[in-house]
Amino acid sequence: MIATPYALPYAVHHSPLPVMGLGRDVFVTLWFSNEISVEGTKSVEALITTFFHLAGSGALAGAAIEPWDSTVFSVDFVGGAASNATWKLSNVRVDERSIPILAQLFLITHSDFPIIKIAISNGPTDQTLVALPAIDEDRDIYPTIFTKQVSRVGISPDLSADVIVVVHFASDPTLPQREAIRLKIEDWIAASAIGCYPAPPHRPDFCNLEYDGALDFFEAELQIGFRNFYCHREALYGLCNSLFAVKDEAPEVMRIVIT
């Protein structure tokens, strides 16, 4: 089920599933209470760009899509009139549970530029939209780990606010390969810190994690530490997918342990 654990203050509708997983274009339209401003447009575009980078990291692959093939090609402002604006995300190939992530992000914009409704669709004229439901559960909300690799992941059931990630590669990554790994990880970090994986009842902009910029490689092992990790636990599923997404750019990831 695709749903949000938040009682969103604006309506959210999307095209009948699948919307996000077939490599098609997806249109995101927002209607505001007042005439849209330059500042409001910039706020929305910054959040859609955050989602774009998260998708590009492979984090949103979910159970069925290969993380190394999961992405959004581009984001373009289509236009708007008076109180609405539309953006096109091209060649979207992410898990359908990315819909709540995108919908919830706009709570950040809503604080300063009240939103009435949002449509996430396969075309601006789609007349078959369905409502995104809200549920009380806050588990199984966000894209999970790619099924074919999930056996390589161990996540402690008792995580604290200080999280340690240890990654074992098939061989010692070269310097260019380490840079490719860093780019994937830091796209996930930036998006998580902005609010892509909020945990109810906290708002997306409450989300945070501290990262000192250090990727500690010990031959074929990588260690990363995050302090003050205040994101939903399922954000770590996205990190695992981002690490698996380096398949064509770095040695194979053999094991991920998160404590």
Side-chain angles (χ1 to χ4, degrees), residues 2 4-5 11 14 37 132-133 139 146:
I2 309 303
T4 173
H14 60 80
S37 65
L132 176 68
R139 294 182 297 175
F146 181 48

Side-chain angles (χ1 to χ4, degrees), residues 15-254:
S15 294
L17 304 179
V19 182
M20 310 289 273
L22 300 180
R24 300 184 299 200
D25 295 344
V26 172
F27 294 83
V28 181
T29 302
L30 289 87
W31 287 263
F32 294 85
S33 296
N34 304 304
E35 185 170 343
I36 190 169
S37 65
V38 172
E39 293 79 10
T41 302
K42 286 182 177 178
S43 174
V44 174
E45 187 150 312
L47 295 173
I48 293 179
T49 300
T50 295
F51 179 85
F52 164 72
H53 284 293
L54 183 63
S57 77
L60 301 179
I65 299 173
E66 297 87 348
W68 45 92
D69 287 334
S70 178
T71 192
V72 174
F73 280 10
S74 63
V75 174
D76 298 289
F77 178 63
V78 174
S83 61
N84 67 78
T86 299
W87 284 261
K88 181 177 79 170
L89 284 68
S90 300
N91 300 90
V92 179
R93 186 168 162 76
V94 297
D95 189 271
E96 302 300 331
R97 289 181 181 176
S98 300
I99 291 173
I101 289 178
L102 190 54
Q104 293 162 186
L105 263 180
F106 297 124
L107 284 168
I108 298 172
T109 297
H110 180 77
S111 298
D112 296 317
F113 308 98
I115 298 166
I116 298 173
K117 62 180 179 178
I118 298 169
I120 300 171
S121 69
N122 294 133
T125 59
D126 191 342
Q127 300 297 312
T128 62
L129 302 183
V130 296
L132 176 68
I135 58 173
D136 291 333
E137 288 288 329
D138 71 342
R139 294 182 297 175
D140 300 323
I141 295 296
Y142 302 122
T144 190
I145 300 169
F146 181 48
T147 298
K148 292 183 179 179
Q149 304 284 41
V150 70
S151 63
R152 301 188 181 194
V153 176
I155 302 178
S156 170
D158 301 311
L159 294 174
S160 70
D162 296 322
V163 175
I164 301 296
V165 182
V166 180
V167 187
H168 301 272
F169 294 91
S171 60
D172 186 2
T174 64
L175 288 178
Q177 290 171 337
R178 292 182 183 191
E179 179 64 10
I181 294 166
R182 182 186 67 79
L183 291 174
K184 293 288 188 186
I185 292 171
E186 291 189 352
D187 275 347
W188 172 85
I189 289 170
S192 298
I194 286 171
C196 283
Y197 295 101
H202 302 297
R203 289 169 42 90
D205 43 8
F206 175 83
C207 286
N208 194 24
L209 71 165
E210 294 178 17
Y211 161 66
D212 63 9
L215 297 182
D216 297 320
F217 283 92
F218 304 94
E219 297 182 346
E221 180 181 291
L222 165 64
Q223 291 189 12
I224 319 162
F226 303 116
R227 295 183 303 278
N228 295 322
F229 184 86
Y230 298 126
C231 300
H232 196 286
R233 175 189 173 89
E234 292 174 7
L236 297 169
Y237 298 166
L239 174 60
C240 293
N241 283 337
S242 293
L243 287 162
F244 290 127
V246 300
K247 172 178 175 284
D248 297 327
E249 304 169 81
E252 184 178 4
V253 173
M254 306 306 295

